[in-house]
Amino acid sequence: MTASPAPSFSELGVCSALCEACERLHYRQPTPIQCAAIPAALEGQDIIGLAQTGSGKTAAFALPILQSLLEAPRPFMALVLSPTRELAFQIAEQFQALGEGVGVRVATLVGGMDMMAQAVALAKRPHVLVGTPGRVVDHLTTTKGFSLRNVQVLVLDEADRLLNMDFEAELDKILSLLPSQDRRRTYLYSATMTSQVAKLQRASLRPKHTVKVEVSPKYATVDTLAQHYLFVPDKYKDCYLTYLIEEFVRQSSCLVFVDTQHNAQRLTLLLRNLGYPAVCIHGGMSQPKRLGALAKFRSGERRVLVATDVASRGLDIPLVDVVINYDIPAHGKDYIHRVGRTARAGRTGRAVNLVSQYDVEVFQRVEQLIGQRLERFPGAEPDAVLTLMERVSEAARLAAQEMREEHRQKRGKSGGGDAGRPRHRRRKGA
């Protein structure tokens, strides 16, 4: 029996103006999550969507929202909450691209950017607000005239991560200020259905008007991803990373995941000192610097991006060829999101995990979660790797020196020219 062809966007109920936008953006056929979610959303149902990263879920909620905007007879507002700034910008860009022909106004509310400029954008009465919970609460507290009383659609994107990042207090505040559940629609999208997400579902969705769509198996990696490990002594991890970068960087783009901001900065400087075009992204950087680093990596100007888990979910970074886990994530689900940055949309990709003597148990849990025994990365024999030791040690020494100097400069500025200025504590995650 031959499989029936996938429906078109028009057959899902998407109006002609938005179908033209999809065609312009080369969205040729709806993805499985779009096929499952869009018709229910257009019928006015609440949605719980469970799907892998890279599955097309942004368009699955953006298209029904934009169609509602076209059909709305009264002031319309949708609120989309995201766990990270970068994902918020990406969602806003997709709304603007899909809604270019229908006059959509989009505002992005994230930390690290000017509050006044965001307040001016809010005064223009945007149709779609995309933001992180902390910054949305900041504006609810300080921006005169801003409220959520006209919100007709609420989207909680990457809901499991919103809760893992301790946004529960901000989410409770926002939910308390929204119209009641029977006066709005809610779309909750998550990679996994945890007990916290189930609790959020009960607090935000209408039980009798909710459709659950799940289009991928739980905790799976794609078949086009080649996954390997290397057992390495912890004191030689920098050498093994350098060996892998040397192996891949001439033909491939490499995304290196680490656990701490300090390691992201240190390894970026180390690789630069060795002559490799590296940039980094982590939560301690200003928003313009984070966006600048992403832009350089996306354009191919820099072929190595060193990142914390701020880059593990949702970001559309095309053509990542290799993911290297310098640090093995403590939670298996984070591993799936990290390696999901490569082998997207049917393309092939590779993931290499550096497993030290301290990581064996965590790595075995990852293998158990994904139901696979990974193969050893071919090559990378100790004798060949350790020939790099002298160069890597010198690059590491210079990197440490640069970080100390940068720390001294920051400390000097905070104790000098800025001493008379009022200080404002940044909200977590904003």
Side-chain angles (χ1 to χ4, degrees), residues 320-336:
V320 174
D321 300 304
V322 182
V323 168
I324 300 172
N325 280 314
Y326 179 89
D327 294 313
I328 305 299
H331 302 290
K333 288 179 284 186
D334 292 332
Y335 173 84
I336 292 167

Side-chain angles (χ1 to χ4, degrees), residues 109-318:
L109 307 180
V110 300
M113 306 299 280
D114 183 54
M115 282 276 288
M116 186 57 68
Q118 292 174 358
V120 170
L122 288 173
K124 295 177 181 177
R125 300 186 180 279
H127 303 113
V128 180
L129 291 178
V130 186
T132 50
R135 181 49 64 96
V136 171
V137 170
D138 283 343
H139 279 287
L140 288 168
T141 305
T142 63
T143 301
K144 188 176 180 181
F146 174 53
S147 78
L148 302 177
R149 62 177 176 270
N150 288 328
V151 170
Q152 294 166 45
V153 184
L154 169 67
V155 180
L156 300 163
D157 194 23
E158 302 282 3
D160 51 345
R161 193 162 179 215
L162 278 170
L163 294 165
N164 285 343
M165 293 174 70
D166 294 329
F167 283 125
E168 195 164 352
E170 285 89 348
L171 289 173
D172 287 344
K173 171 90 170 169
I174 291 168
L175 289 172
S176 73
L177 296 173
L178 286 167
S180 60
Q181 289 161 262
D182 60 343
R183 292 175 51 219
R184 69 165 198 268
R185 283 169 287 144
T186 302
Y187 307 148
L188 186 155
Y189 281 87
S190 181
T192 56
M193 179 55 80
T194 65
S195 57
Q196 284 180 304
V197 172
K199 179 183 171 185
L200 184 59
Q201 169 199 333
R202 290 191 293 273
S204 57
L205 280 76
R206 300 169 294 169
K208 294 181 180 178
H209 300 279
T210 297
V211 173
K212 182 177 180 180
V213 293
E214 184 172 8
V215 298
S216 60
K218 205 174 182 185
Y219 310 137
T221 54
V222 296
D223 295 335
T224 54
L225 175 66
Q227 301 177 76
H228 300 279
Y229 71 87
L230 270 173
F231 281 134
V232 303
D234 187 71
K235 64 180 178 179
Y236 297 139
K237 279 176 83 172
D238 290 353
C239 265
Y240 276 86
L241 174 64
T242 303
Y243 179 92
L244 292 173
I245 296 295
E246 176 66 27
E247 185 90 355
F248 293 125
V249 77
R250 300 192 197 288
Q251 292 86 28
S252 306
S253 57
C254 301
L255 178 49
V256 181
F257 278 109
V258 296
D259 282 349
T260 65
Q261 296 177 11
H262 178 272
N263 252 352
Q265 197 73 33
R266 183 184 70 82
L267 289 175
T268 301
L269 292 172
L270 182 149
L271 291 171
R272 285 179 187 169
N273 290 333
L274 289 167
Y276 299 111
V279 288
C280 72
I281 175 173
H282 59 71
M285 296 167 62
S286 70
Q287 192 60 35
K289 285 186 177 179
R290 285 161 69 164
L291 293 174
L294 274 176
K296 288 178 181 178
F297 185 66
R298 281 181 173 139
S299 69
E301 183 182 342
R302 298 287 185 269
R303 300 188 67 82
V304 182
L305 176 64
V306 185
T308 58
D309 278 317
V310 75
S312 68
R313 286 219 208 172
L315 295 189
D316 182 21
I317 307 173

Side-chain angles (χ1 to χ4, degrees), residues 38-55:
I38 288 174
L42 291 175
E43 290 172 4
Q45 302 286 335
D46 287 355
I47 304 292
I48 300 172
L50 300 177
Q52 287 175 293
T53 183
S55 61

Side-chain angles (χ1 to χ4, degrees), residues 5-132:
S8 65
F9 283 103
S10 176
E11 289 168 330
L12 295 180
V14 177
C15 68
S16 58
L18 293 175
C19 285
E20 289 171 12
C22 291
E23 191 173 335
R24 189 174 65 251
L25 295 171
H26 307 294
Y27 296 175
R28 292 180 177 82
Q29 275 192 327
T31 65
I33 189 67
Q34 291 162 4
C35 290
I38 288 174
L42 291 175
E43 290 172 4
Q45 302 286 335
D46 287 355
I47 304 292
I48 300 172
L50 300 177
Q52 287 175 293
T53 183
S55 61
K57 56 186 170 59
T58 303
F61 60 73
L63 288 169
I65 287 173
L66 291 169
Q67 190 148 320
S68 296
L69 168 62
L70 285 172
E71 297 168 354
R74 59 191 185 282
F76 177 89
M77 185 189 290
L79 173 64
V80 183
L81 295 177
S82 154
T84 67
R85 305 170 189 177
E86 286 73 25
L87 183 53
F89 277 110
Q90 186 173 291
I91 293 168
E93 286 169 5
Q94 196 153 359
F95 267 103
Q96 287 167 330
L98 286 168
E100 184 181 2
V102 301
V104 67
R105 296 190 299 273
V106 183
T108 310
L109 307 180
V110 300
M113 306 299 280
D114 183 54
M115 282 276 288
M116 186 57 68
Q118 292 174 358
V120 170
L122 288 173
K124 295 177 181 177
R125 300 186 180 279
H127 303 113
V128 180
L129 291 178
V130 186
T132 50

